[in-house]
Amino acid sequence: LDTQGVTGSSLDAACTSIATSLTPLQPPCPSGTFKVSPNFNGWNGAFQYNVTRWLGFKADVSGYYAKPITISSGALGVVNDLGVTGFPPRVKSHNFLFGPVISNRAEGFTPFVYGLVGFNRISTSTIGSGDFGPSGGGPLPASFSISDTAFAIAVGGGVDIRATRRLSVRLAQIDYLFTNHDPNVIAN
């Protein structure tokens, strides 16, 4: 998720603009109403089949979740009173990647590198509606759903330490994941 150029203060300014145009008598959003946090938490699972001592093939599946835009508790109460649920929206990102792994099996440890290709699916949604218009101007839908699937490439490497003849423990791993999502996608 690209949050470049999005800051809490820019969201506060947008909130002030929207609040002023829809309900002119309402005060603008106070500073600190919104915060941007692009940190994701998630899970990862992989299966690797080794064809030779140095060549294997890997299937890697992962899921990451975040609320990259947070809102203050006071503002969240106002949003909920308007009938909007699921705000701020939760973003979900899932990767499905496959490709070769090259390993150098040494005594007691195995350094490796890999290159995987596949796709990444990212989505978010929120539901609800509310009377946002001035003087009871009627309900304004507040529902949206955005999703996009894009080509993905992952490259990386690491080191495994041998625990037993058939089991190793991952000491370190570094990954780089590239996706190419269309920034203009608004609904899918």
Side-chain angles (χ1 to χ4, degrees), residues 7-9 11-12 15 29-30 32-36 69-72 87:
T7 64
S9 60
L11 291 171
D12 290 341
C15 176
C29 300
T33 299
F34 294 98
K35 292 185 178 158
V36 176
I69 299 172
T70 58
I71 185 171
S72 69
F87 190 85

Side-chain angles (χ1 to χ4, degrees), residues 45-57:
F47 173 79
Q48 181 175 322
Y49 177 75
N50 294 317
V51 179
T52 68
R53 277 187 62 74
W54 59 271
L55 177 64
F57 289 95

